[in-house]
Structure formats: C-alpha cells, structure tokens
Amino acid sequence: KEVEYEVVRDAYDNCVTVCNMENFDPLGIHTGDSIVMAPSQTLSNAEYHMLRETAIRVVRHLGIIGECNIQYALHPESMEYCIIEVNARLSRSSALASKATGYPLAFVAAKLCLGIPMTKVINAVTKKTQAAFEPSLDYIVTKIPRWDMAKFENVSREIGSAMKSVGEVMGIGRTMEESMQKALRMVDPSFAGFQPSYKFESVEALKQELDV
C-alpha cells in the first residue's frame, strides 16, 4: 500500500497531522496517476497511529518548519513499512488535502515560516479554529487523475512510476461508493459512473488496458 500524511510544524515544536491519504492503486504507480482517497480506508487503528507518530518524529528530527508531505510504503499483511520520500514543501497532494479538509495548508505554512506559533494562526476557512486543530472528517474524498493521451503520438497508455496525467477531479461523499461515483462522473461528461465498457474487441485488448 502507498499512504501519505500531511504534517505541519511551527518553530516552537508544535506538530500536527492535517490529513492522511491512501492510494487506491498499489505501490509503483505515481501518486499523480493514482486514485487517492482521504482519509485512508483500509488502515487499522494501529497502522494509522504507527505511521502518524513516525511522521511527526521524522518532521521534528529534520527540523522542518511549515508544511511537509511524507509518503510510506506499507506491507498489506504486516506492520512492516518504509518511507518513500519526505517533501518539505507544498505538493499536489497538499492541494488535495487542503480542499478535502478545509485546512488552508499554504496559508498556514506561510505564517509558520514567519515564526508565528501555530496556536496564534486562525484557520482562514473556518474563521474559528486554530491551526493547531487537527481536522476530523465524517466524509470521504476521492481524487481521480485525468489523462489526454491523444495529444501525444506513440505514447504508452500504461501507467507506472512516471506521471502522465494532465489534471485531476475530486468527489466528496458520505461513503466510498458515493465519492468514487461522483469523481468518475467528473472525469468526463460521457461517463455515468461505474458502467461496462464495450470498446474492447478481444481479451488481449482488455488485458492491455488493465496492465500497469
């Protein structure tokens, strides 16, 4: 599994995790080309807190002030994990986390980099809560990438570690199915959501479409 955490820390060592996200696709597919869900849907309570505590320890050890994105590879049948990368900056995942949680990561990170304590920064979206408040989601957000392979000649349609998407859409719902369905319908106006495709003329063509 591939899991991400968005972490913010101020100059006074206050540190919180704003959002955790889980890739629908397995490890090896670029995050930009993966379906991503927030919050994570398959992590146990022990796995969630293990990765959360590790993220906070890593950010404090590196001395990062502001916003940070940390990506994990987690074994699906054990507690074994490794850190793929730590991005001490705002990323595409940070934009998704901000929209999914209502926590303005860029705004807060800029304030923290100026030396302002997290307890003194007010969430610009809620206008009430402090930046030290960790969002709690009672809904599910699904991000699906968009591709436009027709613009490039002889390009491989297989996805992998190199990002090929040109954009992304987001769906919000009370259940995984609802948020996924909304996101699928936003990918292209011709999609009604989960529906069978009749464009494959052979089993080989279908296998090629599913091959990653």
Side-chain angles (χ1 to χ4, degrees), residues 17-168:
T17 55
V18 175
C19 182
N20 88 304
M21 297 165 282
E22 181 177 2
N23 286 18
F24 185 84
D25 301 284
L27 181 69
I29 306 300
H30 194 286
T31 303
D33 280 349
S34 293
I35 296 175
V36 179
M37 294 185 172
S40 56
Q41 296 299 297
T42 67
L43 297 189
S44 66
N45 191 58
E47 290 172 332
Y48 171 83
H49 285 286
M50 174 185 69
L51 299 180
R52 177 185 179 276
E53 291 170 7
T54 300
I56 291 176
R57 289 202 301 268
V58 168
V59 170
R60 282 176 170 161
H61 176 76
L62 296 176
I64 297 170
I65 296 176
E67 195 273 345
C68 176
N69 167 267
I70 182 168
Q71 299 181 17
Y72 296 101
L74 175 67
H75 194 285
E77 298 177 358
S78 71
M79 299 289 282
E80 182 181 1
Y81 71 93
C82 66
I83 297 174
I84 301 174
E85 62 178 341
V86 178
N87 296 311
R89 58 174 174 79
L90 291 162
S91 64
R92 184 178 295 100
S93 299
S94 305
L96 172 64
S98 292
K99 291 180 283 187
T101 61
Y103 189 105
L105 282 168
F107 173 84
V108 172
K111 295 286 188 179
L112 300 185
C113 289
L114 293 173
I116 302 174
M118 196 180 297
T119 53
K120 298 295 184 180
V121 179
I122 301 299
N123 188 316
V125 176
T126 63
K127 306 293 185 182
K128 295 180 180 179
T129 56
Q130 298 175 348
F133 175 78
E134 290 192 5
S136 179
L137 306 185
D138 60 352
Y139 52 86
I140 299 171
V141 174
T142 300
K143 181 271 287 186
I144 298 181
R146 295 189 65 178
W147 296 273
D148 193 358
M149 302 297 189
K151 289 186 177 181
F152 305 97
E153 294 182 2
N154 303 319
V155 65
S156 172
R157 300 180 67 88
E158 298 179 1
I159 57 176
S161 58
M163 179 180 159
K164 297 179 180 179
S165 66
V166 296
E168 59 189 32

